């Protein structure tokens, strides 16, 4: 039985509902296997989010023109051993956000939307509804690594 999560938003005085379909629910290495064996998600475009099953936290919300390519990036961030050295260096903040969930069951929900403006709008609405773990981690990372531009003394 396919599971869905319903999201309703107000737009110009009307309520618009979306059903997010559960595409996958895996732990760690299972994500790598699923991503490599699931060609059906390649042509999908829309909005997606990852959610932990244990504590119902939203890890990340994103939009995709090619869902498979986006999932591929996130799997390598969750399981850095599959990432290139360059990705490990360049995407450390993403890895720090995703890799703690490699030992938990994580669900991937998806809402199919073809048009980029629609994807942007829905992604923004979902970001207002949920504080994602990723957003918290990025804020911590940026505060920790913030370098102030100091004005020279006159």
């Amino acid at each position: 039985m396919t599971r869905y999560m319903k999201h309703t938003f107000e737009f110009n005085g009307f309520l618009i509902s979306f059903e997010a379909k559960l595409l996958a629910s895996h732990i760690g290495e299972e994500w790598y296997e699923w991503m490599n064996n699931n060609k059906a998600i390649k042509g999908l475009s829309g909005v997606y989010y990852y959610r932990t099953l244990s504590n119902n936290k939203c890890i990340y919300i994103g939009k995709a023109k090619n869902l498979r390519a986006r999932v591929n990036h996130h799997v390598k961030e969750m399981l850095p051993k599959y990432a290139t050295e360059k990705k490990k260096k360049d995407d450390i903040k993403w890895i720090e956000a995703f890799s703690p969930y490699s030992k938990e069951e994580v669900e991937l929900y998806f809402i199919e939307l073809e048009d980029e403006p629609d994807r942007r709008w829905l992604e923004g609405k979902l970001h207002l509804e949920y504080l994602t773990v990723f957003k918290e981690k990025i804020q911590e990372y940026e505060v920790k690594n913030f370098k102030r531009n100091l004005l020279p003394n006159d």
Side-chain angles (χ1 to χ4, degrees):
M1 185 173 131
T2 305
R3 287 191 6 225
Y4 293 89
M5 287 189 67
K6 189 172 184 176
H7 302 279
T8 303
F9 303 103
E10 187 273 331
F11 181 72
N12 288 340
F14 296 96
L15 292 179
I16 301 173
S17 293
F18 297 91
E19 284 191 335
K21 180 181 180 180
L22 175 64
L23 291 184
S25 183
H26 297 293
I27 300 171
E29 297 292 325
E30 294 172 10
W31 277 108
Y32 191 74
E33 293 169 29
W34 180 81
M35 189 249 333
N36 283 321
N37 296 322
N38 192 332
K39 307 298 182 216
I41 65 170
K42 185 175 183 180
L44 294 178
S45 58
V47 176
Y48 63 96
Y49 57 91
Y50 293 94
R51 187 177 85 92
T52 61
L53 201 57
S54 63
N55 60 9
N56 201 23
K57 278 190 172 182
C58 188
I59 300 170
Y60 180 77
I61 299 166
K63 60 183 175 55
K65 192 181 259 186
N66 175 344
L67 183 61
R68 187 170 189 280
R70 297 300 300 139
V71 169
N72 183 29
H73 284 286
H74 299 311
V75 166
K76 289 176 181 173
E77 291 151 2
M78 191 183 305
L79 304 166
K81 72 180 188 179
Y82 294 112
T84 64
E85 289 305 314
K86 181 175 177 8
K87 181 166 184 60
K88 288 177 189 176
K89 183 180 172 226
D90 294 348
D91 294 343
I92 188 68
K93 60 186 177 185
W94 289 77
I95 290 169
E96 287 177 359
F98 273 94
S99 62
Y101 298 96
S102 64
K103 305 230 183 302
E104 285 190 50
E105 186 160 3
V106 175
E107 297 179 321
L108 171 62
Y109 283 87
F110 180 71
I111 301 166
E112 191 166 2
L113 289 169
E114 288 300 318
D115 295 331
E116 176 66 19
D118 294 342
R119 291 193 299 264
R120 268 190 251 129
W121 180 85
L122 182 57
E123 180 189 31
K125 288 292 190 182
L126 287 169
H127 274 290
L128 291 174
E129 188 172 327
Y130 300 105
L131 175 60
T132 64
V133 171
F134 179 75
K135 196 173 195 177
E136 286 180 66
K137 290 281 184 195
I138 292 301
Q139 288 170 349
E140 286 172 20
Y141 181 86
E142 288 176 353
V143 166
K144 184 172 74 174
N145 294 300
F146 179 72
K147 292 182 178 67
R148 213 175 270 272
N149 287 327
L150 298 175
L151 295 173
N153 292 334
D154 288 329

